[in-house]
């Protein structure tokens, strides 16, 4: 019997574990280690953050789902990897620390034959002074990164609305809280959902709403922007985004690194090297992401973390990490199998893998401060990668070490994104976009880097309904309800 250990129970980890358990059956063991008791459909946290959904509508308990699937579940966080075993055993193992109430703080080791790192990101609030400490949100801003954060954000939003109803003008600041952030899309959705809710509440005229982002232009989204077909015409995401911001009367500040957060005020540095301050009454600033901090040790107990992980804490995979300058970057630099180059029984999926470089053009201020989005690896790509990795591991277990590894390069992968711009049965809107490929390939598609026949977008009520339906569809799939394997990632 072989044992596959999956670290993380988010989109990538849950996808990997559930498909592996189905394909391997009871002949082999699948183990999931995740510090969370509940699964969270993170894209819908933005609706929780404006009071349009409850925490219960975007989460469910993991234990009964894994029990149904025959998956061994440990509510714990992974602490370290020993891919060569120890001096007393050749069997590789992972050390975990329990987070469940009954065993909190207890440590244990789990031996494995194969391991998939799908730990997702550490929410690195501590990277910006005043934004938080470590992975904990600070007191000056709100967040929609977790369901609990989103509940708190909704409460603060309602307080701001009540102040406006009482005649006190409020300033809203939404965007990125550091020069190296990703997930501009989540902040993009949240700012327009706030704007929508303020109009519904009849207080839009009492609000000033401003976007702050590390993007060098609106609509970069960490993908270097894109050109897409809209209404039969090819337009840039820059024009698409600027039109929406202007239509909703939302101001913007781009190319900005938030360098400090205080009560009601932030300090920032721009790409031109200038600095400034921005005041706010309500702020939601996305933190930068980092690896969760896993350590690695060899058979002698020596630290080999730098061998297994990149400096940002994400796991090294089959990518070209020596591409060098921006002019040398190619789509082929991106990983295909997500197998660790040093230890063939280790893989990474979703946000946990270390990208070879960013997708957007690297930028920095004259002071040397990097100000550019880091690559998005959430949502659909995470699920596709997780499923491909599950395929590979299952084939290695069943067919042996020479089995063909399945591939899912983000430079050959299309992705659909539905960005909400306000929730409502009849007045909701969302921008529905498809991008192919996610990582642009300028050799194959000169000029734009993408196939404009498969890169298109529309905004309107239909997009909102698509996002609303997808919410229920993906929770249905994640619960392993009948026919779940037929629903695409």
């Amino acid at each position: 019997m072989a044992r596959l250990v999956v670290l993380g129970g988010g989109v990538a980890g849950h996808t990997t574990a559930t498909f592996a358990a189905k394909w391997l059956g009871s002949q082999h063991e699948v183990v999931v280690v995740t510090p969370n008791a509940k699964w969270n459909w993170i894209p819908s946290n933005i609706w929780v953050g404006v009071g349009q959904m409850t925490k219960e509508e975007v989460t469910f308990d993991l234990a009964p789902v894994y029990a149904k699937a025959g998956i061994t579940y440990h509510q714990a966080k992974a602490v370290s990897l020993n891919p060569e075993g120890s001096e007393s055993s050749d069997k590789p193992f992972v050390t975990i620390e329990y987070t469940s109430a009954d065993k909190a703080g207890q440590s244990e080791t789990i031996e494995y034959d194969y391991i998939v790192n799908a730990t997702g990101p550490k929410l690195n609030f501590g990277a910006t002074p005043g934004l938080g400490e470590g992975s904990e949100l600070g007191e000056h801003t709100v967040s929609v990164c977790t369901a609990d954060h989103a509940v708190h954000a909704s409460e603060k939003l309602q307080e701001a609305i009540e102040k406006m109803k009482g005649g006190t003008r409020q300033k809203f600041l939404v965007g990125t809280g550091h020069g190296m952030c990703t997930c501009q899309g989540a902040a993009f959705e949240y700012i327009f959902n706030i704007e929508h809710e303020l109009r519904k509440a009849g207080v839009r005229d009492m609000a000033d709403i401003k976007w702050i982002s590390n993007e060098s232009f609106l609509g970069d989204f960490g993908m270097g922007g894109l050109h897409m077909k809209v209404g039969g015409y090819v337009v840039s995401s820059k024009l698409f985004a600027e039109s929406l911001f202007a239509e909703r009367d939302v101001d913007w500040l781009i190319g900005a690194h938030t360098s400090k957060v205080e009560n009601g005020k932030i300090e920032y540095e721009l790409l031109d090297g200038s600095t400034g301050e921005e005041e706010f009454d309500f702020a939601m600033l996305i933190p930068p992401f980092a690896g969760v901090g896993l350590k690695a040790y060899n058979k002698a107990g020596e630290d080999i973390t730098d061998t297994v992980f990149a400096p940002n804490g994400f796991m090294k995979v089959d990518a070209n990490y020596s591409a060098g300058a921006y002019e040398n970057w190619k789509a082929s630099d991106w990983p295909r199998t997500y197998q660790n180059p040093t230890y063939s029984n280790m893989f990474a999926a979703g946000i946990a893998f270390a990208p070879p470089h960013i997708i957007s053009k690297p930028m920095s201020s004259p002071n040397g401060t990097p100000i550019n989005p880091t690559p998005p690896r959430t949502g659909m790509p995470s699920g596709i990668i997780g499923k491909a990795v599950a395929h590979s591991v299952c084939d290695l277990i069943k067919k042996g070490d020479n089995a063909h590894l399945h591939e899912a390069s983000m430079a050959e992968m299309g992705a659909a994104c539905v960005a909400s711009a306000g929730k409502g049965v009849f007045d909701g809107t969302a921008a529905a976009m498809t991008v192919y490929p996610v990582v642009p390939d300028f050799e194959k598609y000169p000029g734009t880097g993408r196939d404009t026949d498969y890169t298109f977008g529309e905004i309107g009520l239909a997009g909102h309904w698509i996002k609303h339906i997808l919410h229920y569809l993906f929770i249905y799939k994640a619960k392993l309800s009948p026919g779940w394997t037929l629903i695409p990632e």
Side-chain angles (χ1 to χ4, degrees):
M1 174 184 281
R3 176 184 288 160
L4 163 63
V5 174
V6 178
L7 307 179
V11 171
H14 193 70
T15 301
T16 302
T18 51
F19 273 106
K22 178 176 177 59
W23 294 331
L24 291 174
S26 58
Q27 291 179 305
H28 304 283
E29 184 182 13
V30 176
V31 178
V32 170
V33 176
T34 178
N36 303 310
K38 293 181 179 289
W39 192 82
N40 176 204
W41 178 238
I42 294 173
S44 291
N45 285 352
I46 53 116
W47 285 339
V48 177
V50 294
Q52 287 298 313
M53 275 192 172
T54 64
K55 175 183 173 181
E56 288 69 31
E57 288 179 282
V58 301
T59 60
F60 62 80
D61 290 332
L62 280 170
V65 174
Y66 287 151
K68 177 171 67 173
I71 294 171
T72 304
Y73 164 54
H74 297 275
Q75 188 185 333
K77 63 179 181 180
V79 177
S80 62
L81 297 171
N82 286 69
E84 301 171 5
S86 64
E87 291 182 330
S88 59
S89 172
D90 292 334
K91 193 75 173 177
F93 63 90
V94 57
T95 302
I96 67 172
E97 182 182 305
Y98 284 93
T99 59
S100 55
D102 59 331
K103 301 173 75 174
Q106 295 182 33
S107 293
E108 186 177 316
T109 60
I110 302 174
E111 294 182 343
Y112 63 83
D113 295 288
Y114 292 90
I115 194 162
V116 176
N117 177 16
T119 48
K122 170 189 174 183
L123 301 174
N124 197 15
F125 289 102
T128 301
L131 189 61
E133 292 290 335
S135 59
E136 297 299 317
L137 173 67
E139 60 181 344
H140 305 309
T141 63
V142 301
S143 161
V144 290
C145 293
T146 71
D148 286 330
H149 285 174
V151 170
H152 171 248
S154 175
E155 292 168 353
K156 292 298 181 183
L157 178 61
Q158 293 309 310
E159 289 177 12
I161 289 174
E162 290 305 313
K163 288 179 182 177
M164 287 186 282
K165 287 181 176 179
T168 303
R169 193 168 191 86
Q170 297 284 285
K171 180 166 185 179
F172 295 82
L173 185 66
V174 177
T176 56
H178 190 273
M180 297 286 283
C181 284
T182 187
C183 262
Q184 289 78 11
F188 176 90
E189 290 187 89
Y190 193 58
I191 197 169
F192 288 112
N193 270 268
I194 287 176
E195 196 275 339
H196 183 75
E197 292 304 315
L198 298 186
R199 279 191 284 119
K200 283 167 58 178
V203 294
R204 180 63 181 88
D205 61 326
M206 294 293 292
D208 299 304
I209 307 176
K210 193 163 192 176
W211 170 257
I212 182 169
S213 175
N214 57 350
E215 301 162 287
S216 62
F217 60 89
L218 278 182
D220 180 288
F221 296 129
M223 298 188 297
L226 59 140
H227 287 78
M228 56 188 170
K229 282 189 176 178
V230 180
Y233 297 92
V234 176
V235 301
S236 70
S237 56
K238 179 177 185 290
L239 179 62
F240 189 82
E242 286 181 354
S243 299
L244 183 58
F245 275 77
E247 176 189 313
R248 301 288 181 91
D249 191 25
V250 175
D251 199 4
W252 64 81
L253 180 66
I254 53 174
H257 162 61
T258 301
S259 53
K260 187 178 182 181
V261 180
E262 298 177 340
N263 185 27
K265 185 179 74 173
I266 67 155
E267 295 178 5
Y268 63 82
E269 178 184 353
L270 298 180
L271 276 168
D272 64 7
S274 63
T275 59
E277 295 181 350
E278 197 72 40
E279 295 183 347
F280 63 83
D281 298 293
F282 176 101
M284 196 292 289
L285 301 174
I286 296 288
F289 292 169
V292 297
L294 276 172
K295 305 292 286 183
Y297 301 96
N298 65 13
K299 193 173 180 64
E302 298 164 334
D303 194 318
I304 55 168
T305 302
D306 291 346
T307 301
V308 178
F309 297 95
N312 57 13
F314 296 121
M315 183 176 279
K316 294 177 184 177
V317 291
D318 61 316
N320 176 18
Y321 296 108
S322 59
Y326 173 70
E327 292 73 22
N328 300 330
W329 294 359
K330 294 182 179 180
S332 56
D333 296 337
W334 285 74
R336 307 182 70 85
T337 66
Y338 305 90
Q339 185 179 44
N340 181 265
T342 307
Y343 300 100
S344 61
N345 62 344
M346 291 172 52
F347 293 79
I351 293 176
F353 83 83
H357 42 66
I358 62 176
I359 301 174
S360 305
K361 186 175 181 178
M363 301 273 190
S364 61
S365 74
N367 306 317
T369 304
I371 306 177
N372 44 238
T374 46
R377 308 188 295 289
T378 55
M380 190 172 176
S382 284
I384 293 172
I385 293 167
K387 189 174 182 179
V389 167
H391 259 301
S392 294
V393 173
C394 289
D395 283 353
L396 287 167
I397 289 172
K398 291 180 175 181
K399 300 176 183 179
D401 293 344
N402 294 323
H404 172 72
L405 299 182
H406 293 254
E407 300 180 351
S409 169
M410 286 177 63
E412 297 175 1
M413 179 194 304
C417 174
V418 187
S420 174
K423 191 175 188 298
V425 175
F426 301 112
D427 63 350
T429 55
M433 296 175 282
T434 63
V435 182
Y436 181 81
V438 178
V439 174
D441 186 338
F442 292 102
E443 293 181 332
K444 190 171 184 180
Y445 306 105
T448 65
R450 296 187 175 94
D451 189 336
T452 51
D453 287 334
Y454 296 99
T455 303
F456 50 86
E458 296 286 348
I459 185 167
L461 179 60
H464 164 71
W465 274 103
I466 291 171
K467 187 173 180 74
H468 194 75
I469 291 166
L470 288 175
H471 164 86
Y472 293 102
L473 198 63
F474 283 119
I475 286 184
Y476 180 91
K477 175 185 174 74
K479 287 183 175 179
L480 311 186
S481 301
W484 67 274
T485 59
L486 302 176
I487 300 170
E489 273 50 61

